[in-house]
Amino acid sequence: MRAGIARQPHRPNIAETEPPAVPRVLPRETCMPHDALVLRLLGADIRLFVRSLRRRDLAWIVLGGGGLLAYGWLSLTAHAAALAPHLRAHLPVAVTATVLLLLLLGAGAGAFLQRVAIARGRAAWLTILPLSDSALSRSIRLGALALAAVAATATGAAVGALALTLGLGWVAAPTGITATAVFLLDAALVISAPHQPEPSRLQAATARGLRIPGLAAIDRIGLPWFAAWSWGTQPGRIRVTARRILSLLALTLLAYFMLAAGLMRHDATPGLLAGLAGGVLIFVLSLRCAPLASPVLRTAPIGFLRAWLRLLRLPLLLSLAFFAVPAGTAFAASPHAWAIVPESGLGLLALNAIYAVFAAYFLRSTFLAAVAFLAALTYFVWGAAEYGQTVYLGLAALVGWLWYRARRRYRHG
Amino acid sequence: MADAKPLPLRATGLVVSYGGAPIVDGIDLAVGHGELLGLLGANGAGKSTLLRAITGQVPPDHGTIEIGGHDLRRHPERAKAHFGFAIDPDELPAPLSARQYFELVAAIRGVEPMAPPIADAIERLQFGPWLDQPIADCSLGTRAKIGIVGALIGLPPLLIFDESLNGLDPVAAWEAKAMLRNLAASGHAVILATHVVETVPGLCTRAVLLADGGIGRTWRTDELAVASAPTFEADVMAALRGRRVAA
């Protein structure tokens, strides 16, 4: 060996290296803790969302949303304090109503969180990894349950604080804890229900669906195929699911009972209410604005208003078709009150138009659009009951702002 | 005498950033009638971001974009009537068939969906048998062909293709390149972003290399005319490596 030259250890090149042995079974200690996988993905999504917001938008959400929540809370507690003697006098009714509301909220939150967790846990990139189906299901349930626990705690705290406002004293704390438990158990029941993986966009698009005579002909008029595209079905078809059939059945039964009640009492109001609620529900369930985010429209010479109106056409027709039957029957029940029928029709159009603006803003999630629409309506109807009709100017301003933002995003990204 | 026709594309001082980091940083780019511009660059160089800004999909932080003389920000619909953009295969409306997609685009542009140039393009790209199948059932290559034909509907003055030749079979790729040449020869401005460097000398009349958010190098028509595919490829590699070392 020559002096001054250090002997280098032999480093095999790629051709000389042995292929790594593939372990047949991974030792337990080297496995990833899969249970928290979906929870970690959800956390990463939340962090990414916050980081992607501009500071100005974040400030709007925190300060504006916080201010609205604070006002809503103060208004609620003020009303609760004013109604305290009445509520204490009818405690069983108040408790039953609260429990029913908690069950409704818990089930809704559970269904939503289950969908959110499934979207992460059944993502295509996870399905090709060596993870068992049971491990993924457990991780999905755990992720959804963790978020449900946060929501349940917040709800329980709110119920406990309201109980304090009602002057229930030491009972407030157990009331809050019970409310948390009811909410969480209900949400957990929904989350634990067996779930089917969501079909991929391509799988959904190739699903044949049920052919509806005349639907393709209507969808072809003017700018063609917007409805089929937005629904993710082939033209002239709708996708039939058990959930949709049940929803339609429940809606029809409700409308039937309300119409029967109206006919018996010669009163148009129940029928019109059923028509209005059903019409809005049909519109909410059938309107999809996702094509407004597509480069197909955004790079084409079509304005936001024209594209948006075209997306509304078929859902609006379905909504008006549903409204027509109860409205006609309501008119038959009480012909002298005919003026209320066109008024309700205009109300339906106004509500649908407001929802359509929410749907254009929250174009990726019908659920978020519907929740925001309901929350805004409740908020402003509540405010108007307290401060008068001028409060609706706030609703108009909110709708105008959402419209402006949706149009701006469509035009300039 | 100065040409009275406005340029198909004029972008000035264009800056586009994501999350505060500039991806496109002060680009000036003009494309004239009859030009076929090759847009080159490494992954993340800003090619797609530049094309998204030009097609109105992301807002520029600074700078102006004029398409056919219309400011994209102030008159987006008028500007968008002057270009056709080959939609990415994954962004096409999956439940519709190619024919229905063409009907939709043609109705927006106010033209016939199956006018002779479109029917000819369908025949040349050989996807007639899939014309009435849902796009979701089509292969990646067939969806790429649908995107290319969709851009040609109405034959707007500026045609933009972002790596649209990827996934095409050899015959379709050859036909697509011939179509692009014919379009440029008939006075259309064409932009083709591509990683297939060797196709540029025989196809494009000008090429620019994007690097570090700006235009790193430009090849004029006369330079491309004398360059062979291997020499041009070596030239591009040297330019890319040079930028990387400098960075």
Side-chain angles (χ1 to χ4, degrees):
Chain A
M1 192 174 136
R2 279 179 293 174
I5 300 176
R7 192 182 170 86
Q8 296 290 321
H10 173 68
R11 288 183 183 152
N13 61 32
I14 289 172
E16 288 174 326
T17 52
E18 290 284 322
V22 179
R24 281 165 192 259
V25 180
L26 284 172
R28 183 168 283 276
E29 57 275 17
T30 62
C31 287
M32 272 181 66
H34 305 311
D35 286 355
L37 184 62
V38 168
L39 195 57
R40 285 211 303 271
L41 290 174
L42 286 167
D45 273 357
I46 292 168
R47 280 195 300 276
L48 189 69
F49 170 71
V50 172
R51 275 218 313 264
S52 70
L53 286 174
R54 291 179 301 178
R55 281 183 191 160
R56 197 175 58 187
D57 292 342
L58 196 61
W60 266 106
I61 291 172
V62 173
L63 296 176
L68 283 174
L69 270 179
Y71 164 74
W73 175 251
L74 288 174
S75 183
L76 188 68
T77 47
H79 275 84
L83 286 172
H86 183 72
L87 288 174
R88 275 199 302 272
H90 301 88
L91 205 55
V93 178
V95 168
T96 310
T98 309
V99 169
L100 283 176
L101 185 67
L102 284 169
L103 287 174
L104 197 70
L105 285 175
F112 172 66
L113 293 173
Q114 190 199 38
R115 283 185 68 177
V116 168
I118 287 172
R120 271 76 185 169
R122 299 286 179 193
W125 67 271
L126 265 178
T127 56
I128 58 165
L129 294 177
L131 291 166
S132 69
D133 192 59
S134 59
L136 277 179
S137 295
R138 207 167 48 241
S139 179
I140 287 168
R141 279 198 293 273
L142 191 79
L145 274 174
L147 293 185
V150 175
T153 309
T155 310
V159 172
L162 268 181
L164 265 182
T165 315
L166 292 174
L168 294 181
W170 67 270
V171 187
T175 305
I177 292 166
T178 312
T180 305
V182 169
F183 185 106
L184 188 57
L185 279 174
D186 190 30
L189 273 176
V190 175
I191 288 167
S192 305
H195 59 262
Q196 292 294 321
E198 292 276 314
S200 73
R201 199 169 64 94
L202 289 183
Q203 280 174 332
T206 48
R208 294 282 175 242
L210 182 72
R211 183 184 288 280
I212 306 291
L215 194 63
I218 296 171
D219 199 16
R220 195 174 190 167
I221 299 167
L223 297 174
W225 314 127
F226 270 54
W229 179 18
S230 67
W231 291 345
T233 57
Q234 289 170 38
R237 294 173 185 269
I238 56 167
R239 205 170 303 128
V240 182
T241 60
R243 197 185 293 173
R244 281 185 190 169
I245 292 173
L246 283 176
S247 305
L248 196 64
L249 211 61
L251 199 62
T252 311
L253 274 176
L254 185 73
Y256 172 78
F257 283 122
M258 289 187 80
L259 277 175
L263 280 171
M264 278 192 289
R265 292 165 49 197
H266 296 287
D267 186 359
T269 314
L272 285 172
L273 274 179
L276 199 62
V280 172
L281 199 61
I282 293 272
F283 188 75
V284 168
L285 291 175
S286 58
L287 180 67
R288 296 287 181 277
C289 288
L292 291 175
S294 164
V296 172
L297 290 184
R298 295 190 54 226
T299 61
I302 179 169
F304 176 74
L305 178 66
R306 196 166 161 230
W308 179 74
L309 284 174
R310 178 59 186 85
L311 285 168
L312 303 195
R313 193 170 73 193
L314 211 49
L316 198 57
L317 278 175
L318 292 175
S319 168
L320 290 175
F322 185 91
F323 175 76
V325 179
T329 319
F331 177 67
S334 177
H336 64 276
W338 63 269
I340 199 174
V341 177
E343 267 177 33
S344 303
L346 286 176
L348 176 67
L349 285 178
L351 286 172
N352 284 350
I354 293 171
Y355 174 71
V357 175
F358 276 83
Y361 183 79
F362 296 100
L363 46 78
R364 299 272 187 209
S365 167
T366 307
F367 180 83
L368 274 183
V371 168
F373 169 68
L374 264 180
L377 269 190
T378 311
Y379 199 88
F380 283 101
V381 168
W382 178 285
E386 201 167 346
Y387 300 112
Q389 302 288 313
T390 39
V391 169
Y392 286 120
L393 287 176
L395 179 62
L398 173 67
V399 170
W401 183 79
L402 291 177
W403 167 268
Y404 167 75
R405 295 290 298 182
R407 180 170 168 268
R408 190 183 146 94
R409 185 176 52 198
Y410 175 84
R411 292 178 81 173
H412 304 302
Chain B
M1 199 178 120
D3 192 357
K5 275 171 102 176
L7 281 176
L9 171 69
R10 184 192 293 279
T12 318
L14 207 58
V15 179
V16 187
S17 55
Y18 290 134
I23 308 296
V24 170
D25 197 0
I27 284 185
D28 295 316
L29 183 69
V31 186
H33 292 281
E35 266 201 286
L36 206 165
L37 176 76
L39 199 58
L40 301 167
N43 294 331
K47 298 185 302 294
S48 293
T49 304
L50 174 65
L51 295 184
R52 283 199 194 111
I54 288 170
T55 53
Q57 296 179 71
V58 293
D61 300 325
H62 298 289
T64 56
I65 300 163
E66 279 182 23
I67 294 168
H70 298 285
D71 188 306
L72 183 66
R73 177 164 278 275
R74 286 195 297 175
H75 307 291
E77 280 110 67
R78 268 186 251 169
K80 286 171 186 174
H82 286 73
F83 71 75
F85 176 62
I87 302 293
D88 189 85
D90 287 340
E91 304 273 11
L92 290 167
L96 304 186
S97 67
R99 190 190 298 278
Q100 287 159 345
Y101 170 60
F102 298 154
E103 285 174 2
L104 186 150
V105 176
I108 290 172
R109 292 191 172 274
V111 295
E112 277 295 312
M114 291 293 170
I118 302 308
D120 177 54
I122 291 167
E123 197 183 318
R124 288 174 72 176
L125 294 177
Q126 301 178 340
F127 73 95
W130 290 277
L131 203 54
D132 292 308
Q133 293 293 316
I135 291 172
D137 288 348
C138 296
S139 67
L140 174 69
T142 306
R143 280 184 279 142
K145 292 173 190 175
I146 294 167
I148 291 171
V149 176
L152 302 180
I153 290 174
L155 286 179
L158 173 64
L159 296 154
I160 302 169
F161 302 91
D162 187 4
E163 298 182 30
S164 305
L165 303 184
N166 294 359
L168 296 187
D169 58 71
V171 176
W174 191 84
E175 287 287 355
K177 283 185 271 187
M179 282 194 312
L180 299 191
R181 257 187 234 110
N182 291 345
L183 285 163
S186 62
H188 291 85
V190 182
I191 301 177
L192 173 69
T194 182
H195 284 302
V196 190
V197 176
E198 59 270 26
T199 61
V200 172
L203 181 66
C204 300
T205 59
R206 185 158 62 104
V208 294
L209 176 84
L210 294 190
D212 308 332
I215 293 180
R217 167 103 198 255
T218 302
W219 288 265
R220 298 188 311 271
T221 310
D222 55 333
E223 289 174 302
L224 287 178
V226 295
S228 66
T231 56
F232 180 73
E233 204 174 351
D235 210 8
V236 172
M237 293 311 134
L240 280 171
R241 290 204 174 109
R243 295 297 297 188
R244 218 168 268 174
V245 169

